[in-house]
């Protein structure tokens, strides 16, 4: 029989890729949207699945709304991807972030407990919870020390998911996913900010990209591979928590170098901290500058994950390399910029 999946955060990067994968597997896919305007469906349109996903209106801030949707959809699997997911914004909107990312998870779990307790539940947890890391590489056993209201809010989401599994025997999994990127990544995140800027710089639409802390390091993977892991977690005999990462850590400087290289630029670095600049070796022009505006009150300096349990139990392994990721994002953005230019003419 056809399985039914409910994905919250359907307009987001992961929501799009997960919906596409589940549709290909024959699922009936409901996408929960909080009604933020028609243009926000660009990812589902780019993936050519907009007509296939059944959109339902649900805001994680509204309990009765969540309950009604669970009652209507009666999902077999629920993927809770909805979140205020931008770390920087969580310092400006800590209460809203917590209401969505912490209590939002609880609203969903309570609704499931009362209405559809047999549904399998995936919670989108994050490497941000490791924060000021206690050891490297991080594993499922590494203690948490979040460094932002976002990280703290996600920690509640993680533990309440574990708690519903332990208290009520519900099939609840928490995926500790490290950064994953793609051409569908939001422009506010550093990789996509860089890849889109490279495309625009190449066509003379902007002079440089202005960044924050370019020395931070992340374990960066490819988003379509990470949504496969979410699905695999819910297909196991028993619910559990899994860490998903590549096992490699790279700085923002490294990502920027590779991104610019894809468009034919060679970056030469000068200075450090806020005085850092990235210069085009051929022309001497400044292509990368740094501004304190993009620094965070508390930073997660370096993340690197060890996904051994996921490899052994789920059979999950990353495939796309860091260099391939940077290149494919820039190539996609160069095409987008070309389309923008040609449709403007
Ligand atoms: P994303 O692109 O920011 O998507 C998040 C989605 O959540 C957006 O579509 C947003 O809707 C929706 N949302 C926000 N507040 C909501 C509310 N009150 N009610 C209902 N929906 C709401 O995030 P992503 O990169 O796809 O990530 C998916 C999930 O994984 C998030 O929970 C994120 O925190 C987590 N995560 C991401 C990564 C990563 O590297 N990408 C790593 C670890 C964990 P609008 O479109 O209306 O704004
Ligand atoms: O791209 P970012 O904003 O991603 P961040 O903070 O790591 O969070 C992302 O990954 C998490 C998983 O660990 C998710 F849970 C979360 O939802 C989100 O998807 O920033 C990455 C790094 C940071 O250290 C930041 O300080 O890049 C640094 N950075 C330097 N310049 C910048 C910039 N970040 C942004 N967004 N913009 C800059 O100009």
């Amino acid at each position: 029989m056809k399985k039914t999946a409910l994905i919250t955060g359907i307009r987001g990067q992961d929501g799009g890729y997960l919906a596409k994968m589940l549709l290909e597997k024959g699922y009936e896919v409901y996408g929960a949207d909080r009604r933020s305007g028609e243009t926000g469906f660009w990812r589902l349109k780019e993936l050519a699945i907009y007509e296939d996903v059944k959109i339902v209106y649900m805001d994680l801030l509204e309990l009765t709304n969540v309950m009604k949707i669970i009652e209507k959809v009666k999902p077999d699997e629920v993927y809770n991807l909805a979140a205020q997911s931008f770390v920087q914004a969580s310092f400006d909107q800590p209460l809203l972030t917590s209401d969505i990312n912490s209590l939002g998870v609880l609203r969903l779990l309570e609704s499931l407990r009362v209405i559809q307790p047999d549904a399998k539940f995936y919670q989108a947890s994050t490497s941000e919870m490791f924060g000021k890391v206690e050891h490297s590489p991080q594993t499922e056993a590494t203690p948490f020390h979040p460094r932002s209201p976002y990280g703290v809010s996600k920690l509640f989401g993680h533990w309440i998911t574990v708690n519903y599994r332990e208290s009520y025997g519900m099939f609840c999994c928490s995926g500790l996913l490290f950064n994953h990127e793609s051409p569908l990544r939001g422009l506010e995140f550093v990789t996509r900010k860089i890849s889109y800027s490279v495309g625009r710089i190449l066509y003379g639409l902007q002079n440089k990209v202005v960044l924050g802390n370019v020395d931070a390091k992340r374990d960066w993977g490819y988003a379509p591979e990470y949504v496969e892991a979410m699905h695999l977690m819910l297909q196991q005999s028993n619910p559990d928590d899994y860490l998903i990462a590549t096992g490699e850590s790279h700085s923002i400087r490294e990502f920027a170098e590779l991104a610019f290289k894809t468009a034919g630029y060679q970056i030469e670095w000068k200075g450090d901290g806020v005085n850092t600049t990235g210069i085009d070796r051929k022309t001497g022009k400044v292509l990368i500058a740094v501004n304190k505006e993009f620094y965070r009150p508390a930073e997660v300096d370096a993340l690197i994950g060890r996904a051994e349990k996921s490899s052994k139990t789920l059979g999950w392994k990353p495939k796309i390399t860091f260099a391939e990721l940077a290149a494919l994002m820039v190539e996609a953005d160069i095409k987008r910029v070309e389309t923008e230019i040609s449709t403007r003419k």
Side-chain angles (χ1 to χ4, degrees), residues 77-98:
E77 296 177 9
V78 177
Y79 295 86
N80 183 32
L81 310 186
Q84 191 304 92
S85 78
F86 187 30
V87 173
Q88 180 109 36
S90 77
F91 289 101
D92 298 325
Q93 298 185 315
L95 290 133
L96 177 65
T97 300
S98 304

Side-chain angles (χ1 to χ4, degrees), residues 165 171-173 233-242 313:
R165 180 171 76 221
F171 197 110
C172 299
C173 299
M233 288 179 211
L234 298 198
Q235 311 316 308
Q236 304 306 301
S237 315
N238 296 305
D240 205 346
D241 307 322
Y242 296 91
T313 313

Side-chain angles (χ1 to χ4, degrees), residues 7 37 39 59-61 74 93 96 106 110 126 144-145 156 173 210 218 226 271 293 300 312 328 337:
I7 303 173
T39 51
D59 195 315
L60 283 187
L61 296 175
K74 295 233 169 4
Q93 298 185 315
L96 177 65
L106 185 50
E110 262 301 271
T126 163
F144 299 119
H145 185 152
F156 179 94
C173 299
V210 184
R218 291 291 181 274
Y226 283 49
E293 182 195 343
V300 172
K312 281 192 181 142
L328 72 83
V337 171

Side-chain angles (χ1 to χ4, degrees), residues 85-87 126-128 150 177-179 185 188-191 193 210-214 216 218 220 252 294 296 299-300 303:
S85 78
F86 187 30
V87 173
T126 163
S127 50
E128 273 291 305
Y150 169 80
L177 271 53
F178 282 60
N179 297 52
R185 188 60 146 146
E188 65 272 41
F189 301 100
V190 74
T191 54
K193 180 174 172 180
V210 184
L211 301 173
N213 174 14
V214 290
R218 291 291 181 274
W220 271 305
I252 283 86
F294 299 109
R296 292 167 186 186
E299 177 64 286
V300 172
L303 292 171

Side-chain angles (χ1 to χ4, degrees), residues 149-169:
Y150 169 80
V152 175
S153 71
K154 280 285 184 174
L155 200 47
F156 179 94
H158 167 73
W159 282 120
I160 202 68
T161 300
V162 173
N163 182 255
Y164 270 56
R165 180 171 76 221
E166 293 176 351
S167 304
Y168 306 116

